[in-house]
């Protein structure tokens, strides 16, 4: 039996009993329980039988803890169509309830395997496949019929999402969010939902947002080196300026931001007003004001809502502003303006490396002179995630080196110590890691704290000399950071190449004499 959704602050309703009506009366009334409305023939609104039925419906709603239905006067043909279209409503309700249970089971299994995403791919002619993304790899975990997939996606979107459009439309791209506690397994704070049509069906991708607020705020636990943490700490001490984190989707940018902001909040004992603008908020940050951007139907509406949220935030007397993503020219310009008018700003952008952040920002409409000003741009970070080797099955590379091609051996020999007992590769057939050879992921990052000398080289277009100068002052690329972790035995060299590129592309040591020559 269908139960209407409860409104905020309302007690949980109970299912209401069926309200019988004769065939003749059904021509004059239709009770739409799901929408909470009662359709009544406009020509029979004052009919005694109709009025009596209306009062019975209101009474049953009150007994079930539900608000009274909205009574709407309509033509009789509208009522007839509603009865025809919903003749199997109870069957659909039962199906939706069962699909919600099935969805919760899928969510629970995904959390148990620490999946980052769930992919539901529905093929009208080929059935449904459910994948879990675990340590950045997709694993097929379930197959079913196309009908099951359509019902599953519809139930998730229409019955479980609390921030969504009114209906699920397989022919359009839609975004939504699940955040109600009773719809989530333990360990999750929410699920971000995105859908899109495909040639023969539709795809739903669910990003699982884990509750990691109780973990350390130390970014070294994510994989940052101590000297990099010291550089991030210097960014945190600057009262104004923008700090930008880049990296591909799923590279851990949001987690780095969360821990950084929580560490600022803790270190200042809550004396700084920190506000975020997120679409939508992903991870809870106790003590920090997190403002969501309202769900919008189009990209233009979404952009306008995001801009309005940033402008509103700047009027709320913040010390620190975090903008979840600089997605277009207006949001980029607002973020930079905030950094130029007395605020410390943190945000993210998609760029391939730390120095490419400047190119990306210029491409989005910020002048090079502003981007090359170290008093405005106070920090640039780029990061990726590498798979950490399972300690139970990893094998020393020197013992299995012959399993790799001559080309692979020659490519890595120039960058790592193949003969070292420390260098390991992934094992197989391990019960601890389900044969994946992976026990988690770790960050490799580039951290740039600009100074006038570096930015002067950038402004003059001497990119390579700027990078050489940065490296001469202790900077290191993601590739160099990966090699450090490989030589420690934490990361498989061949799997690391999937994220940071071939190891033989390691640059030569920074040539300080070239920088010095340029300066002279």
């Amino acid at each position: 039996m269908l139960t209407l959704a409860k409104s905020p602050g309302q007690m949980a309703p109970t299912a209401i009993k069926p309200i019988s009506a004769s065939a003749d009366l059904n021509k004059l009334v239709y009770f739409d329980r799901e929408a909470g409305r009662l359709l009544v023939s406009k020509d029979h609104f004052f009919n005694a039988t109709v009025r009596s039925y209306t009062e019975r419906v209101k009474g049953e709603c009150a007994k079930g803890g539900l608000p009274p239905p909205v009574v709407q006067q309509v033509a009789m043909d509208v009522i007839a169509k509603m009865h025809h279209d919903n003749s199997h409503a109870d069957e659909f309700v039962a199906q939706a309830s069962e699909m919600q249970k099935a969805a919760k089971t899928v969510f629970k299994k995904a959390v148990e395997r620490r999946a980052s995403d769930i992919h539901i791919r529905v093929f009208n002619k080929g059935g449904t496949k459910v994948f879990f993304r675990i340590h950045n790899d997709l694993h097929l975990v379930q197959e079913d019929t196309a009908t099951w997939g359509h019902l599953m996606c519809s139930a998730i979107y229409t019955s479980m999402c609390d921030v969504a459009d009114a209906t699920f439309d397989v022919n359009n791209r839609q975004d939504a969010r699940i955040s109600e506690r009773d719809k989530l397994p333990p360990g999750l704070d929410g699920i971000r939902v995105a859908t899109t049509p495909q040639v023969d069906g539709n795809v739903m991708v669910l990003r699982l947002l884990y509750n990691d607020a109780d973990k350390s705020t130390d970014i070294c636990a994510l994989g940052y080196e101590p000297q990099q943490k010291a550089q991030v700490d210097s960014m945190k001490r600057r009262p104004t300026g923008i700090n930008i984190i880049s990296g591909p989707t799923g590279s851990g940018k949001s987690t780095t931001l969360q821990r950084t902001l929580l560490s600022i909040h803790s270190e200042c004992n809550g004396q700084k007003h920190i506000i975020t603008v997120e679409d939508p908020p992903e991870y809870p940050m106790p003590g920090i004001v997190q403002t969501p951007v309202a769900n919008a139907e189009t990209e233009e509406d979404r952009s306008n809502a995001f801009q309005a949220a940033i402008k509103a935030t700047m009027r709320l007397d913040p010390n620190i502003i975090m903008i979840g993503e600089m997605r277009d020219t207006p949001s980029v310009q607002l973020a930079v303006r905030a950094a130029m008018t007395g605020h410390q700003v943190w945000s993210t952008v998609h760029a391939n490396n730390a120095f490419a952040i400047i190119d990306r920002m210029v491409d989005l409409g910020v002048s090079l002179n502003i981007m090359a000003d170290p008093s405005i741009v106070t920090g640039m970070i780029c990061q990726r995630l590498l798979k950490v080797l399972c300690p139970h099955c990893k094998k020393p590379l020197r013992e299995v080196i012959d399993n790799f091609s001559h080309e692979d051996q020659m490519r890595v020999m120039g960058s790592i110590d193949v003969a070292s007992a420390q260098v390991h590769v992934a094992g197989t057939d391990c019960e601890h890691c389900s044969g994946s050879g992976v026990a988690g992921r770790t960050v490799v990052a580039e951290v740039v704290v600009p100074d006038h000398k570096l930015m002067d080289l950038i402004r003059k277009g001497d990119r390579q000399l700027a990078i050489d100068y940065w490296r001469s002052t202790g900077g290191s690329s993601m590739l160099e950071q990966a090699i450090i972790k490989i030589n420690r035995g934490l990361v498989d060299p061949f799997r690391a190449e999937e994220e940071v590129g071939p190891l033989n592309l390691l640059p030569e040591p920074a040539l300080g004499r070239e920088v010095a020559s340029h300066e002279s």
Side-chain angles (χ1 to χ4, degrees):
M1 178 58 59
L2 179 65
T3 298
L4 294 182
K6 59 185 177 181
S7 59
Q10 178 186 329
M11 294 179 60
T14 59
I16 64 175
K17 296 188 301 182
I19 305 171
S20 61
S22 66
D24 288 338
L25 181 57
N26 274 335
K27 296 177 182 179
L28 309 179
V29 296
Y30 177 79
F31 180 30
D32 186 349
R33 289 172 290 184
E34 185 171 1
R37 61 177 182 163
L38 176 62
L39 306 184
V40 177
S41 166
K42 60 184 178 181
D43 295 326
H44 301 82
F45 183 70
F46 295 104
N47 180 287
T49 305
V50 170
R51 297 298 297 270
S52 175
Y53 180 82
T54 300
E55 293 305 314
R56 286 168 55 202
V57 170
K58 292 180 179 179
E60 289 299 329
C61 286
K63 291 179 183 178
L66 300 172
V70 176
V71 180
Q72 297 179 350
Q73 299 183 51
V74 298
M76 289 179 64
D77 58 347
V78 173
I79 294 173
K81 185 176 186 304
M82 291 297 292
H83 278 297
H84 178 270
D85 292 346
N86 293 278
S87 59
H88 301 293
D90 287 341
E91 177 185 343
F92 293 153
V93 168
Q95 284 183 330
S97 178
E98 288 302 313
M99 296 312 296
Q100 286 189 50
K101 292 179 183 178
K104 289 180 181 179
T105 299
V106 173
F107 298 166
K108 183 173 182 289
K109 290 180 179 178
V111 170
E112 289 172 350
R113 298 184 63 178
R114 195 67 184 185
S116 62
D117 301 86
I118 301 169
H119 291 222
I120 303 174
R121 300 179 183 176
V122 184
F123 303 91
N124 295 329
K125 298 177 182 178
T128 298
K129 294 184 178 181
V130 179
F131 298 83
F132 291 169
R133 185 177 291 282
I134 303 171
H135 304 315
N136 207 37
D137 293 330
L138 287 176
H139 299 267
L140 178 63
V141 296
Q142 186 174 342
E143 294 187 77
D144 216 301
T145 64
T147 299
W148 181 92
H150 285 301
L151 287 171
M152 171 66 77
C153 291
S154 179
I156 290 174
Y157 195 90
T158 60
S159 304
M160 303 182 76
C161 292
D162 48 275
V163 180
D165 296 331
T167 58
F168 176 55
D169 185 354
V170 296
N171 296 315
N172 283 306
R173 294 176 175 86
Q174 293 177 294
D175 295 320
R177 181 183 171 92
I178 303 172
S179 57
E180 292 184 6
R181 185 73 267 154
D182 62 341
K183 296 182 175 68
L184 299 169
L188 288 187
D189 273 309
I191 298 176
R192 196 173 66 203
V193 181
T195 73
T196 187
Q198 61 170 333
V199 172
D200 183 36
N202 63 283
V203 177
M204 175 176 281
V205 177
L206 303 101
R207 167 63 56 87
L208 307 185
L209 306 174
Y210 288 89
N211 182 1
D212 294 330
D214 58 333
K215 292 188 177 181
S216 169
T217 58
D218 184 1
I219 61 173
C220 288
L222 302 176
Y224 279 80
E225 295 292 319
Q227 68 271 23
Q228 293 180 321
K229 177 182 181 299
Q231 291 176 303
V232 175
D233 287 343
S234 73
M235 300 176 196
K236 288 155 51 176
R237 287 191 292 268
R238 298 287 296 270
T240 63
I242 185 168
N243 303 295
I244 307 168
I245 302 178
S246 68
T249 301
S251 61
K253 300 186 296 294
S254 296
T255 303
T256 299
L257 272 177
Q258 177 207 31
R259 296 199 177 193
T260 300
L261 293 179
L262 285 174
S263 68
I264 294 173
H265 176 71
S266 175
E267 291 160 9
C268 73
N269 296 315
Q271 294 179 347
K272 291 183 178 178
H273 186 25
I274 306 173
I275 304 181
T276 75
V277 178
E278 303 172 78
D279 181 23
E282 294 195 5
Y283 298 103
M285 291 183 270
I288 293 173
V289 178
Q290 294 180 263
T291 61
V293 176
N295 199 36
E297 294 185 1
T298 67
E299 281 302 315
E300 182 180 358
D301 290 342
R302 189 185 302 271
S303 176
N304 291 336
F306 208 76
Q307 294 169 49
I310 297 173
K311 292 177 181 177
T313 296
M314 292 174 65
R315 294 192 294 268
L316 294 174
D317 187 32
N319 299 105
I320 299 170
I321 301 173
M322 189 277 272
I323 300 170
E325 179 185 349
M326 294 181 290
R327 59 178 69 230
D328 52 26
T329 296
S331 62
V332 165
Q333 292 177 340
L334 286 169
V336 172
R337 184 185 306 166
M340 297 172 67
T341 54
H343 305 95
Q344 182 187 108
V345 179
W346 294 81
S347 191
T348 68
V349 73
H350 289 288
N352 291 331
N353 57 65
F355 285 91
I357 290 173
I358 295 174
D359 300 327
R360 179 65 178 140
M361 296 287 282
V362 170
D363 184 55
L364 286 169
V366 182
S367 73
L368 179 60
N369 280 337
I370 289 177
M371 287 305 302
D373 186 338
S375 68
I376 298 174
V377 179
T378 50
M380 300 184 294
I381 301 171
C382 187
Q383 67 176 57
R384 281 176 171 74
L385 294 175
L386 302 185
K387 298 170 184 174
V388 175
L389 287 167
C390 173
H392 300 282
C393 65
K394 66 180 183 179
K395 300 176 181 178
L397 176 57
R398 65 183 183 182
E399 294 181 7
V400 293
I401 188 65
D402 292 337
N403 295 343
F404 298 92
S405 68
H406 176 72
E407 179 185 3
D408 285 343
Q409 294 180 37
M410 295 304 295
R411 191 177 63 252
V412 303
M413 284 178 63
S415 304
I416 64 175
D417 185 0
V418 175
S420 169
Q422 289 294 107
V423 179
H424 286 70
V425 293
T428 56
D429 302 324
C430 174
E431 61 180 14
H432 297 280
C433 62
S434 301
S436 68
V438 180
R441 289 193 289 174
T442 184
V443 166
V444 286
E446 299 170 349
V447 181
V448 180
V449 181
D451 60 18
H452 287 285
K453 188 179 297 184
L454 176 71
M455 288 308 208
D456 184 55
L457 292 169
I458 292 292
R459 189 180 297 107
K460 294 176 179 177
D462 295 324
R463 173 63 58 84
Q464 188 55 53
L465 283 178
I467 294 173
D468 286 343
Y469 168 72
W470 168 65
R471 294 181 67 222
S472 72
T473 59
S476 58
S477 67
M478 288 180 287
L479 178 54
E480 290 170 305
Q481 288 294 313
I483 289 173
I484 290 172
K485 294 181 186 292
I486 290 169
N487 286 326
R488 290 175 183 167
L490 296 175
V491 174
D492 183 314
F494 301 102
R495 290 187 173 183
E497 289 187 315
E498 298 172 4
E499 298 297 332
V500 297
L503 300 187
N504 61 355
L505 295 183
L506 184 70
E508 295 294 325
L511 302 179
R513 58 182 176 81
E514 291 189 11
V515 178
S517 174
H518 177 84
E519 292 171 355
S520 64

